[in-house]
């Protein structure tokens, strides 16, 4: 199954997937740390789509990237709320994005709250770690 590019993007911007996170999943560079974080959230939300684990690994900084990544198909990511953004703009070298990602799984509903650190290297934003 391939996610419809005209469907609303899972990241919550209100844009279509094709004009939002889909362009980054297809190889485009996210212009900001927030855009990368949203595209990574969408990759988790679309875990059953081909290439999403590869995308997550490719956008993970080599210093902290795991060798492999298995996505949990039992978790359904429902909504993303960006809480705080610190730097991470198109001309910054680093940034912080704090978010709350709402999900459901076998245990019911939950919220993952994370403050993520990003760096920009060679014109591309990379996820480094949760701080």
């Amino acid at each position: 199954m391939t996610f419809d590019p005209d469907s609303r993007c899972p990241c919550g911007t209100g844009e279509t997937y094709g004009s939002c996170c889909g362009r980054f999943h297809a190889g485009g560079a996210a212009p900001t740390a927030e855009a990368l974080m949203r595209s990574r959230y969408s990759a988790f939300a679309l875990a059953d789509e081909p290439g999403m684990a590869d995308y997550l690994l490719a956008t993970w900084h080599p210093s902290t990237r795991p060798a492999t990544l298995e996505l949990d198909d039992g978790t359904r990511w429902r909504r993303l709320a960006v809480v705080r953004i610190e730097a991470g703009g198109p001309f910054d070298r680093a940034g912080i994005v704090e978010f709350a990602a709402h999900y459901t799984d076998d245990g019911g509903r939950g919220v993952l709250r994370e403050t993520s650190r990003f760096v920009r290297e060679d014109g591309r934003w990379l996820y480094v770690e949760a701080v």
Side-chain angles (χ1 to χ4, degrees), residues 38-75:
R38 286 182 177 278
S39 72
R40 287 175 57 84
Y41 168 85
S42 289
F44 279 104
L46 300 172
D48 55 349
E49 295 292 319
M52 291 302 129
D54 292 337
Y55 176 78
L56 290 164
L57 288 170
T59 58
W60 208 316
H61 195 273
S63 67
T64 56
R65 178 175 48 222
T68 61
L69 181 64
E70 288 189 38
L71 299 178
D72 182 2
D73 60 359
T75 301

Side-chain angles (χ1 to χ4, degrees), residues 81-117:
V82 174
V83 176
R84 177 178 63 95
I85 301 167
E86 185 178 310
F91 303 107
D92 293 321
R93 296 183 73 176
I96 303 269
V97 181
E98 182 180 351
F99 65 90
H102 299 258
Y103 65 89
T104 57
D105 62 14
D106 291 340
R109 295 178 183 203
V111 180
L112 169 69
R113 297 179 192 282
E114 182 175 303
T115 302
S116 296
R117 187 167 69 91

Side-chain angles (χ1 to χ4, degrees), residues 3-9 15-24 26:
F3 195 70
D4 182 357
D6 294 324
S7 294
R8 204 168 283 246
C9 192
E15 296 181 43
T16 64
Y17 172 70
S19 65
C20 193
C21 295
R23 61 193 166 131
F24 308 133

